[in-house]
Amino acid sequence: MRIITLDFETFVSADYTLKKMTTEAYIRDPRFATLCCGVREHDNLRACYDAPQFAAWAKSQDWSTIGVVAHHAHFDGLILAHHYGVKPAFWFDTLSMARMVHGADGGNSLGALAARYKLDEKSVPYDLFRGKTWAELGVQGQMSLSDGCLHDVELTWEIFKRLGDGYPLEEYKVVDQTVRFFTEPALEGDIPLLEDLRQAEWDNKNGRMIALGVGAAQLQSSAQFVALLEAEGVEVEYKAGKNEPIPAIAATDNFMRDLEGHDNPRVADLAAARLEVKSTIDETRSARLAAMASRGSLPIYLAYCGAKTLRWSGGDKVNFQNFRRGGELRRSLMAPKGHMVGVIDLAQIECRVLNVLAGQDDVVEKFRQRRDLYSEIASKFYGEEVTKAQADKRGLGKQMILSCGYGSGAATFQRTAERGTYGPSIKLELEECVAAVKIYRDEHAKVVRYWKTCDAVLHALEAGAADFEWGPLRVKSDKIILPNGSWMNYNLAWDQERQSYVRKTRRGSSKIWGGVLTQNICEAVSRLILSQAMLRIAAAGIRVVGCTHDELVMVMPEAQIEAAMAFASAEMVRDVPWLPGIPLDCEGSFGERYSK
């Protein structure tokens, strides 16, 4: 395979820029224009082409034999696919690679990486070509831009070589697949449904505001919202702010949640209206998806290793990972004509991983027997038999199994239950939450012991001198290395004031203890199980078009979907050689829409 490095420089202006637009909208906008593209194949072959030259060059290449290196390959890849009809044999993305090598918070722009590796600074003269076409740049401007573009190409190649030192071969394939989710889209959007969703959101919010006689500005402003509450005789609670106390009126504040159940109906409605106005996610995404669908198929932007635990995160202002299951946003995504959408998810994957890693063999055996762990533990809490039909009580059992598995205490359990994270919202007394946590911990003694082991591992990571095998993992220096060679970075310090280890980031630090490390590990191992299954499924010719934390989304011709689902289901539960004994299970469905 030939490997080339390329970088596009494109037209930008004051109102047409990636700072104001999504990557997809910018590239598929009628104003899009390639100014030039720098290409590097080897030391004695470097060229910078203007748009017509690049189009001719691209047409002359056999892209089935070419792997492309780019920094932010989603951008360059969608340009290649959408404007030039090019789909190379393989994508290498230095931005994606850097997130794993240095961590998602490591500062992974091309300029930051050049500084990290002590390479020359970027030299593209952005101010020179803003608002100008290629012709308007003139000969001197064209030469300056071409020189800067070729310098960026050279930087990208040098950074690629450095990032590749010890980089897991399997992860290159995961990066390639992730880039193709965006650059080779398949799903289509139901524009009328998306418009209805946007309108419904708007109508609901505005209807409530009209009934209350308030405007969006009053609800969004903290000071004005406090004034509205005080006018109703509410004594507003405050919390510590950066410089001084601030009102406790965020969606996650207990005071704010209590307002929704206030005895005064107007107060309760004001609280609900503020939360609706502040949380515009469905309205925003439905409008953005409708606009995207009007331009073509829906590119699914996922950031490889966007989370510290190596899982994907959302990007491009549309997070496809957190569309509510059973929600209308999911239903708005459709297969193209003659095709079906297949969805398969790994059932309770993190919980299964946790109990295997901890050696909680009795619980592992229950999974093997396909018993309903959520209903069983809920039955013990309520002192009566709980079934799947009892969504509220079984949901609490689900919370006991999943939240308590990562060390949730009684106060956290109480808040989580009220938020309805695992099922319908339930208000519990603190004493009830203490009892729920105790039931879990009494039945999962080895999981509790695993948290304590993780505390000791944190100590070793902070010291930075560890090197030992730990089940399927390896702890080395300040990293936890997974079975395929990928790793999580732990830049730790001891915080004397908090009496805890903290994980340092560019934006400060966050507390980490054994329960948090347990969650990190389970998420990373689960991601690896999913990504390895994804690669096997894709290698068989099944088109995987996206994924979430525990599920894969596929698009196949209608006549092939049943066979594809059967094959994919078998691959999802295939024995994991590096985690023997884990009883995997999966659920799947297919149809014209992404609706599981």
Side-chain angles (χ1 to χ4, degrees), residues 111-164:
L113 291 170
R116 177 188 289 273
Y117 293 122
K118 296 180 171 53
L119 301 170
D120 292 338
E121 295 181 0
K122 283 170 57 68
S123 61
V124 174
Y126 293 106
D127 291 337
L128 174 69
F129 69 86
R130 187 169 285 107
K132 294 183 179 180
T133 65
W134 181 253
E136 290 170 339
L137 283 171
V139 174
Q140 191 61 45
Q142 292 171 2
M143 290 177 62
S144 295
L145 182 56
S146 296
D147 288 345
C149 181
L150 284 175
H151 178 63
D152 279 5
V153 169
E154 196 65 30
L155 282 179
T156 301
W157 174 250
E158 291 298 325
I159 288 168
F160 174 67
K161 290 192 295 184
R162 287 159 174 78
L163 291 170

Side-chain angles (χ1 to χ4, degrees), residues 35 52 58 69 166 173 175 206 211 226 234 280 314 320 397 445 460 494 515 564 573:
L35 297 179
V69 179
K173 297 178 182 179
V175 170
N206 282 274
V226 166
V234 175
T280 60
F320 286 90
W494 177 258
V573 300

Side-chain angles (χ1 to χ4, degrees), residues 357-376:
L357 291 176
Q360 195 71 55
D361 296 336
D362 55 336
V363 176
V364 174
E365 183 58 29
K366 289 179 182 179
F367 274 121
R368 193 168 285 115
Q369 296 172 5
R370 295 176 176 268
R371 288 163 60 175
D372 183 2
L373 273 65
Y374 302 158
S375 293
E376 288 185 18

Side-chain angles (χ1 to χ4, degrees), residues 442-496:
D442 286 348
E443 292 193 355
H444 298 78
K446 291 185 177 180
V447 170
V448 175
R449 189 184 308 161
Y450 193 77
W451 306 337
K452 296 176 181 178
T453 301
C454 285
D455 281 325
V457 171
L458 287 172
H459 180 73
L461 288 166
E462 192 272 337
D467 190 356
F468 57 88
E469 302 295 326
W470 183 30
L473 310 171
R474 183 179 181 185
V475 180
K476 185 174 183 180
S477 184
D478 59 351
K479 296 176 174 58
I480 293 180
I481 303 172
L482 276 69
N484 74 337
S486 58
W487 63 84
M488 293 186 287
N489 295 282
Y490 284 88
N491 183 15
L492 302 181
W494 177 258
D495 189 309
Q496 188 64 32

Side-chain angles (χ1 to χ4, degrees), residues 181 187 300 341-344 543-548 551-555 594:
F181 291 161
L187 293 173
I300 296 181
V341 182
V343 184
I344 298 182
R543 189 172 184 184
V544 183
V545 299
C547 65
T548 66
E551 75 177 8
L552 297 179
V553 184
M554 299 159 287
V555 170
Y594 174 33

